[in-house]
PDB file of all heavy atoms in Angstrom:
ATOM      1  N   ARG A 346     -28.238  -4.789  -9.507  1.00 94.00           N
ATOM      2  CA  ARG A 346     -29.107  -5.763 -10.182  1.00 94.00           C
ATOM      3  C   ARG A 346     -28.385  -6.374 -11.379  1.00 94.00           C
ATOM      4  O   ARG A 346     -28.448  -7.590 -11.592  1.00 94.00           O
ATOM      5  CB  ARG A 346     -30.404  -5.084 -10.636  1.00 94.00           C
ATOM      6  CG  ARG A 346     -31.373  -6.048 -11.332  1.00 94.00           C
ATOM      7  CD  ARG A 346     -32.681  -5.354 -11.698  1.00 94.00           C
ATOM      8  NE  ARG A 346     -32.483  -4.291 -12.658  1.00 94.00           N
ATOM      9  CZ  ARG A 346     -32.727  -2.998 -12.411  1.00 94.00           C
ATOM     10  NH1 ARG A 346     -33.191  -2.613 -11.231  1.00 94.00           N
ATOM     11  NH2 ARG A 346     -32.521  -2.082 -13.342  1.00 94.00           N
ATOM     12  N   GLU A 347     -27.681  -5.542 -12.120  1.00 91.00           N
ATOM     13  CA  GLU A 347     -26.986  -6.046 -13.304  1.00 91.00           C
ATOM     14  C   GLU A 347     -25.877  -7.024 -12.908  1.00 91.00           C
ATOM     15  O   GLU A 347     -25.714  -8.087 -13.512  1.00 91.00           O
ATOM     16  CB  GLU A 347     -26.403  -4.870 -14.096  1.00 91.00           C
ATOM     17  CG  GLU A 347     -25.939  -5.236 -15.503  1.00 91.00           C
ATOM     18  CD  GLU A 347     -24.553  -5.858 -15.514  1.00 91.00           C
ATOM     19  OE1 GLU A 347     -23.702  -5.443 -14.700  1.00 91.00           O
ATOM     20  OE2 GLU A 347     -24.336  -6.783 -16.318  1.00 91.00           O
ATOM     21  N   ILE A 348     -25.113  -6.679 -11.872  1.00 90.00           N
ATOM     22  CA  ILE A 348     -24.036  -7.560 -11.424  1.00 90.00           C
ATOM     23  C   ILE A 348     -24.617  -8.853 -10.846  1.00 90.00           C
ATOM     24  O   ILE A 348     -24.112  -9.954 -11.115  1.00 90.00           O
ATOM     25  CB  ILE A 348     -23.155  -6.861 -10.374  1.00 90.00           C
ATOM     26  CG1 ILE A 348     -22.563  -5.565 -10.939  1.00 90.00           C
ATOM     27  CG2 ILE A 348     -22.046  -7.801  -9.907  1.00 90.00           C
ATOM     28  CD1 ILE A 348     -21.696  -5.757 -12.150  1.00 90.00           C
ATOM     29  N   SER A 349     -25.693  -8.746 -10.064  1.00 91.00           N
ATOM     30  CA  SER A 349     -26.304  -9.930  -9.448  1.00 91.00           C
ATOM     31  C   SER A 349     -26.840 -10.892 -10.493  1.00 91.00           C
ATOM     32  O   SER A 349     -26.913 -12.100 -10.251  1.00 91.00           O
ATOM     33  CB  SER A 349     -27.442  -9.506  -8.509  1.00 91.00           C
ATOM     34  OG  SER A 349     -26.960  -8.729  -7.439  1.00 91.00           O
ATOM     35  N   SER A 350     -27.213 -10.368 -11.647  1.00 90.00           N
ATOM     36  CA  SER A 350     -27.758 -11.235 -12.694  1.00 90.00           C
ATOM     37  C   SER A 350     -26.720 -12.230 -13.211  1.00 90.00           C
ATOM     38  O   SER A 350     -27.053 -13.208 -13.867  1.00 90.00           O
ATOM     39  CB  SER A 350     -28.290 -10.385 -13.856  1.00 90.00           C
ATOM     40  OG  SER A 350     -27.224  -9.731 -14.541  1.00 90.00           O
ATOM     41  N   ARG A 351     -25.450 -11.975 -12.906  1.00 85.00           N
ATOM     42  CA  ARG A 351     -24.393 -12.887 -13.350  1.00 85.00           C
ATOM     43  C   ARG A 351     -24.196 -14.063 -12.393  1.00 85.00           C
ATOM     44  O   ARG A 351     -23.445 -14.989 -12.700  1.00 85.00           O
ATOM     45  CB  ARG A 351     -23.066 -12.133 -13.470  1.00 85.00           C
ATOM     46  CG  ARG A 351     -23.120 -10.898 -14.360  1.00 85.00           C
ATOM     47  CD  ARG A 351     -21.776 -10.189 -14.329  1.00 85.00           C
ATOM     48  NE  ARG A 351     -21.877  -8.829 -14.843  1.00 85.00           N
ATOM     49  CZ  ARG A 351     -20.904  -7.925 -14.745  1.00 85.00           C
ATOM     50  NH1 ARG A 351     -19.769  -8.269 -14.161  1.00 85.00           N
ATOM     51  NH2 ARG A 351     -21.060  -6.708 -15.215  1.00 85.00           N
ATOM     52  N   LEU A 352     -24.840 -14.004 -11.238  1.00 88.00           N
ATOM     53  CA  LEU A 352     -24.615 -15.030 -10.219  1.00 88.00           C
ATOM     54  C   LEU A 352     -24.945 -16.436 -10.709  1.00 88.00           C
ATOM     55  O   LEU A 352     -24.179 -17.374 -10.428  1.00 88.00           O
ATOM     56  CB  LEU A 352     -25.416 -14.698  -8.959  1.00 88.00           C
ATOM     57  CG  LEU A 352     -25.197 -15.616  -7.760  1.00 88.00           C
ATOM     58  CD1 LEU A 352     -23.732 -15.654  -7.362  1.00 88.00           C
ATOM     59  CD2 LEU A 352     -26.046 -15.156  -6.569  1.00 88.00           C
ATOM     60  N   PRO A 353     -26.052 -16.649 -11.423  1.00 89.00           N
ATOM     61  CA  PRO A 353     -26.313 -18.016 -11.896  1.00 89.00           C
ATOM     62  C   PRO A 353     -25.186 -18.581 -12.753  1.00 89.00           C
ATOM     63  O   PRO A 353     -24.846 -19.765 -12.644  1.00 89.00           O
ATOM     64  CB  PRO A 353     -27.611 -17.853 -12.712  1.00 89.00           C
ATOM     65  CG  PRO A 353     -28.298 -16.677 -12.098  1.00 89.00           C
ATOM     66  CD  PRO A 353     -27.187 -15.739 -11.734  1.00 89.00           C
ATOM     67  N   GLN A 354     -24.582 -17.752 -13.601  1.00 82.00           N
ATOM     68  CA  GLN A 354     -23.487 -18.236 -14.432  1.00 82.00           C
ATOM     69  C   GLN A 354     -22.262 -18.577 -13.579  1.00 82.00           C
ATOM     70  O   GLN A 354     -21.550 -19.552 -13.848  1.00 82.00           O
ATOM     71  CB  GLN A 354     -23.115 -17.182 -15.485  1.00 82.00           C
ATOM     72  CG  GLN A 354     -24.102 -17.079 -16.636  1.00 82.00           C
ATOM     73  CD  GLN A 354     -25.461 -16.522 -16.195  1.00 82.00           C
ATOM     74  OE1 GLN A 354     -25.505 -15.534 -15.464  1.00 82.00           O
ATOM     75  NE2 GLN A 354     -26.532 -17.146 -16.633  1.00 82.00           N
ATOM     76  N   THR A 355     -22.025 -17.755 -12.540  1.00 82.00           N
ATOM     77  CA  THR A 355     -20.927 -18.054 -11.624  1.00 82.00           C
ATOM     78  C   THR A 355     -21.177 -19.377 -10.914  1.00 82.00           C
ATOM     79  O   THR A 355     -20.266 -20.205 -10.765  1.00 82.00           O
ATOM     80  CB  THR A 355     -20.777 -16.925 -10.585  1.00 82.00           C
ATOM     81  OG1 THR A 355     -20.460 -15.708 -11.259  1.00 82.00           O
ATOM     82  CG2 THR A 355     -19.681 -17.242  -9.586  1.00 82.00           C
ATOM     83  N   PHE A 356     -22.428 -19.591 -10.486  1.00 86.00           N
ATOM     84  CA  PHE A 356     -22.813 -20.840  -9.830  1.00 86.00           C
ATOM     85  C   PHE A 356     -22.547 -22.036 -10.753  1.00 86.00           C
ATOM     86  O   PHE A 356     -21.961 -23.045 -10.337  1.00 86.00           O
ATOM     87  CB  PHE A 356     -24.287 -20.768  -9.434  1.00 86.00           C
ATOM     88  CG  PHE A 356     -24.863 -22.074  -8.936  1.00 86.00           C
ATOM     89  CD1 PHE A 356     -24.543 -22.549  -7.686  1.00 86.00           C
ATOM     90  CD2 PHE A 356     -25.734 -22.802  -9.735  1.00 86.00           C
ATOM     91  CE1 PHE A 356     -25.080 -23.747  -7.224  1.00 86.00           C
ATOM     92  CE2 PHE A 356     -26.269 -23.998  -9.292  1.00 86.00           C
ATOM     93  CZ  PHE A 356     -25.940 -24.476  -8.029  1.00 86.00           C
ATOM     94  N   VAL A 357     -22.942 -21.919 -12.001  1.00 85.00           N
ATOM     95  CA  VAL A 357     -22.743 -23.017 -12.957  1.00 85.00           C
ATOM     96  C   VAL A 357     -21.259 -23.290 -13.158  1.00 85.00           C
ATOM     97  O   VAL A 357     -20.827 -24.453 -13.199  1.00 85.00           O
ATOM     98  CB  VAL A 357     -23.424 -22.697 -14.304  1.00 85.00           C
ATOM     99  CG1 VAL A 357     -23.022 -23.714 -15.372  1.00 85.00           C
ATOM    100  CG2 VAL A 357     -24.939 -22.667 -14.141  1.00 85.00           C
ATOM    101  N   ARG A 358     -20.445 -22.223 -13.284  1.00 76.00           N
ATOM    102  CA  ARG A 358     -19.004 -22.423 -13.477  1.00 76.00           C
ATOM    103  C   ARG A 358     -18.388 -23.151 -12.288  1.00 76.00           C
ATOM    104  O   ARG A 358     -17.530 -24.022 -12.451  1.00 76.00           O
ATOM    105  CB  ARG A 358     -18.302 -21.078 -13.690  1.00 76.00           C
ATOM    106  CG  ARG A 358     -18.541 -20.479 -15.066  1.00 76.00           C
ATOM    107  CD  ARG A 358     -17.482 -19.448 -15.397  1.00 76.00           C
ATOM    108  NE  ARG A 358     -17.519 -18.313 -14.503  1.00 76.00           N
ATOM    109  CZ  ARG A 358     -18.244 -17.225 -14.704  1.00 76.00           C
ATOM    110  NH1 ARG A 358     -19.032 -17.144 -15.773  1.00 76.00           N
ATOM    111  NH2 ARG A 358     -18.210 -16.228 -13.858  1.00 76.00           N
TER     112      ARG A 358
END
Side-chain angles (χ1 to χ4, degrees):
R346 181 177 64 244
E347 193 278 324
I348 302 300
S349 297
S350 68
R351 305 176 196 170
L352 185 57
Q354 285 68 46
T355 298
F356 171 74
V357 170
R358 285 200 296 270

